[in-house]
Amino acid sequence: MSPRRSARTTGERGSATVETALVLPVIVMMLAALLVTALAGVQQLSVTEGARAAARALAIGHSPEQARTIAQRVCQCAADITVSEGAWVQVRVRSTSRSVSWLPGLKVSASVTLPAEPGGSP
């Protein structure tokens, strides 16, 4: 007595492979998008911290060159750093995310404005 195969079993043969082949690329694309978003978020936080540190340095009286150095050191990225002084100091840091540099046009930036400390000196 041999086991009988039903028509349903033989008709669905290989369906799991087809379903996997259809769904797997979608899952991989979603994971890639999640990874790119996470890397860009980390770079954004880094640039924001660099701008904050440079603005604090300017606010207490450091030179713009020192503020640029501080921003570069904190964000650890190749960044375009703009500094303006006056009653309010403003630092803008723009960077192309090096962790996802293969994705064209992904740039992160941060701008921080703080009041200058009266009589501030380093």
Side-chain angles (χ1 to χ4, degrees):
M1 299 202 183
S2 64
R4 298 173 84 193
R5 291 188 178 185
S6 68
R8 181 175 177 211
T9 305
T10 58
E12 292 182 7
R13 188 182 235 169
S15 64
T17 304
V18 172
E19 290 169 0
T20 302
L22 291 174
V23 173
L24 190 60
V26 174
I27 292 172
V28 169
M29 292 294 286
M30 290 175 66
L31 288 174
L34 181 65
L35 179 64
V36 167
T37 303
L39 291 173
V42 167
Q43 186 70 22
Q44 178 66 45
L45 290 173
S46 175
V47 167
T48 301
E49 285 303 310
R52 284 182 184 157
R56 283 192 298 267
L58 273 177
I60 63 171
H62 287 281
S63 71
E65 292 76 27
Q66 290 172 321
R68 284 186 184 92
T69 302
I70 290 169
Q72 288 279 353
R73 193 176 316 137
V74 170
C75 81
Q76 296 178 350
C77 60
D80 174 29
I81 300 167
T82 307
V83 173
S84 61
E85 296 181 277
W88 290 82
V89 296
Q90 181 178 21
V91 176
R92 176 169 296 160
V93 179
R94 289 184 218 89
S95 175
T96 301
S97 179
R98 68 173 183 250
S99 53
V100 286
S101 59
W102 49 269
L103 190 63
L106 182 61
K107 295 184 187 237
V108 292
S109 65
S111 180
V112 175
T113 305
L114 293 174
E117 296 288 325
S121 61

